Amino acid sequence: MYAPTTTSELRRDAYPLLQHLCAPVPMHARRKVGIVYPTDLASLQAAVAIARAQLGVPVLIGPREPIEALARTSSLELAAIEIEDTADDPRIAATHACTLAKEKRVDILMKGGLHTDELMHAVLERDGGLRTRQRVSHTFAIELPGSDALLLLSDCAVNIQPDLATKRSIIENAMTVARAAGVAEPRIGILSATESVLPGMQSTLDAAALRTMAARGQIRGARLDGPLALDNAVSPRSAQAKKIISDVAGHADVLIMPNLEAGNILYKSLIYFGGADCAGIVIGARVPVALTSRAESLLSRVASVALGLRTLGITASDG
Amino acid sequence: MYAPTTTSELRRDAYPLLQHLCAPVPMHARRKVGIVYPTDLASLQAAVAIARAQLGVPVLIGPREPIEALARTSSLELAAIEIEDTADDPRIAATHACTLAKEKRVDILMKGGLHTDELMHAVLERDGGLRTRQRVSHTFAIELPGSDALLLLSDCAVNIQPDLATKRSIIENAMTVARAAGVAEPRIGILSATESVLPGMQSTLDAAALRTMAARGQIRGARLDGPLALDNAVSPRSAQAKKIISDVAGHADVLIMPNLEAGNILYKSLIYFGGADCAGIVIGARVPVALTSRAESLLSRVASVALGLRTLGITASDG
């Protein structure tokens, strides 16, 4: 059998860039972090860690009794943490969290013990949800062991088969997240299976169109190139071997994925086979939403919230 | 910058499983290995290595003069190697290689210094090509450092957006390659971005259909499960966390990719970020075709031919 290295085995002090993201930012210290349906140990631990690190002020949005019972049996101290009591139903907690966000009583949401679908359904609801004029997309910030910069990937979690207009929004949102992550002038590679434009491969046509949109100023402030294959996006040697001349090829720090499956598989490959850890955030709704999954580390959860808070000064997402 | 570990830096004796594939098989020692348009150093080196290892008998299909000149300047000894002289045009060499394959004068083809498109165009030509009733697909056998079995991926190179019928052929071809690689009873995971069936994500619907085709005996001899996300396909812990109960989840040794972009990006991720090396072969045509790329190692080239030769007893591809 393969022995994939999982994040928990690799923990120690292995991810300095993600840890750096988690440094408290004074202007965000009073921001409210709504943790949606935190009926699982991992999200309660994240709430305590967020409070302790003075990253923000956690608000637990869910059924008081089971949450307090879980804290007792896990010896977690919740006394100083606000609970916004709801019925014991993840969909009700998600809807209530969106109401709190609309009323500006929380500044960011983090997923607790419910399914991504349940939370995103409430966020994207036409009436009560948090939609703005922007499109919603997810961006990962990946730390590979030994690298000196975060690698951003989008979209690996929300948009299944994005068309050209959606890819453009994905790029704009990823640029916001890149700036929040400290990458001032992101170099954006539009990924496909090849660096050539092939009439039969739509992702190469989209990439060519996006590249030209950037050249014509329709996408602003981006150094952008595509289509690129993964190797010639991140390896200077591969870019050179293929004679691709741009300031992105070989040096991309943002990778735009051709479709959700490719994005999800790449991100998991970097975690399981590359020993990486990550933070991830949905932006484009009224508040950022951290969609951490069950398997993710405490660092990953806290860094996701920290990354989301850092986008707040950058996005104009009040629709 | 990221410092992706490339195969050449990791060489040494790092890939025992791929090296094991290259052990000579007496019944294949007289097979002819047609090397198409070998005007680059890497394919000439592979030809010499194949002859020296007694894997098969190389036949160089291309323009004699530039090939011999390159051998001289590179101090490669070609005296004992047959050259099938052609005009100095990659398309003419590719067409001639297909003619030799049809006349059973070569048993397998390996790509030399021409583009994949140029070679595959000749192979798939309706008239003069090597099509059979089978569909053609490419399968990679990946060796991750420290793993004790090869991981097979398909299709990362030929079929762009395979429909259900094509995915079924991809599975059948991958089973042949798995057996050739020594995986007697492959466990086949159909990859998507999630293990749930989502009406809006076609790759999960295809996976559900393939899973049922296996249950109904429409795909035979396969232990097959899907949809699976990469983590719950290869990590027993992730499969358990998601409560996926099958003899494939967590233990897949063949991964069927939702589309070409996802396959290409995963394979390159395993090479560049996971330190892997690979062999790869196209089957389903009259002869196997090894499509090694410029960046690949000598081991990878030779192992691809060895893997292709090992499929010869298994496939019925005379159409």
Side-chain angles (χ1 to χ4, degrees), chain B residues 215-292:
Chain B
R216 292 289 182 270
Q218 293 169 272
I219 299 172
R220 275 185 295 182
R223 290 182 290 179
L224 185 158
D225 196 12
L228 294 172
L230 178 64
D231 57 337
N232 46 54
V234 300
S235 157
R237 199 189 330 196
S238 292
Q240 207 167 17
K242 288 287 174 90
K243 299 189 172 58
I244 307 169
I245 295 155
S246 79
D247 51 1
V248 173
H251 302 277
D253 36 32
V254 178
L255 302 178
I256 302 300
M257 306 306 306
N259 53 57
L260 184 69
E261 291 99 326
N264 190 278
I265 290 170
L266 175 59
Y267 129 71
K268 285 177 172 154
S269 162
L270 297 177
I271 302 278
Y272 281 86
F273 298 111
D277 204 354
C278 63
I281 194 78
V282 172
I283 67 167
R286 284 187 191 217
V287 300
V289 181
L291 291 181
T292 46

Side-chain angles (χ1 to χ4, degrees), chain A residues 272-284:
Chain A
Y272 280 85
F273 297 111
D277 204 355
C278 63
I281 194 76
V282 172
I283 68 166

Side-chain angles (χ1 to χ4, degrees), chain A residues 1-2 6 9 144 148 150 193 201 203 229-231 237-238 252-253 259-261 264 268-270 272-273, chain B residues 1-2 9 144 148-150 193 201 203 229-231 237-238 252-253 259-261 264 268-270 272-273:
Chain A
M1 281 318 305
Y2 327 105
T6 68
E9 285 158 359
L144 285 153
D148 60 9
L150 292 166
M201 199 184 292
S203 58
L230 178 64
D231 57 337
R237 198 190 329 198
S238 293
D253 36 34
N259 55 56
L260 185 69
E261 292 98 326
N264 190 278
K268 283 175 174 157
S269 161
L270 297 177
Y272 280 85
F273 297 111
Chain B
M1 281 317 308
Y2 327 104
E9 285 157 358
L144 284 153
D148 61 9
L150 293 165
M201 198 183 294
S203 58
L230 178 64
D231 57 337
R237 199 189 330 196
S238 292
D253 36 32
N259 53 57
L260 184 69
E261 291 99 326
N264 190 278
K268 285 177 172 154
S269 162
L270 297 177
Y272 281 86
F273 298 111

Side-chain angles (χ1 to χ4, degrees), chain B residues 121-182:
Chain B
H121 182 81
V123 169
L124 296 177
E125 190 86 66
R126 290 274 166 201
D127 293 329
L130 300 176
R131 280 179 188 272
T132 66
R133 278 167 305 191
Q134 270 182 278
R135 280 172 211 254
V136 163
S137 62
H138 181 275
T139 304
F140 270 122
I142 307 265
E143 180 167 3
L144 284 153
S147 68
D148 61 9
L150 293 165
L151 177 63
L152 283 91
L153 307 185
S154 187
D155 187 338
C156 308
V158 171
N159 291 284
I160 296 175
Q161 194 70 257
D163 62 12
L164 185 60
T166 306
K167 283 182 180 171
R168 176 188 172 160
S169 301
I170 287 171
I171 291 169
E172 290 167 346
N173 286 343
M175 287 170 68
T176 298
V177 177
R179 280 192 286 268

Side-chain angles (χ1 to χ4, degrees), chain A residues 198-223:
Chain A
L198 302 183
M201 199 184 292
Q202 184 61 42
S203 58
T204 68
L205 307 182
D206 288 353
L210 292 163
R211 184 176 186 279
T212 303
M213 289 166 89
R216 292 288 182 269
Q218 294 169 272
I219 299 173
R220 276 186 294 180
R223 288 184 290 179

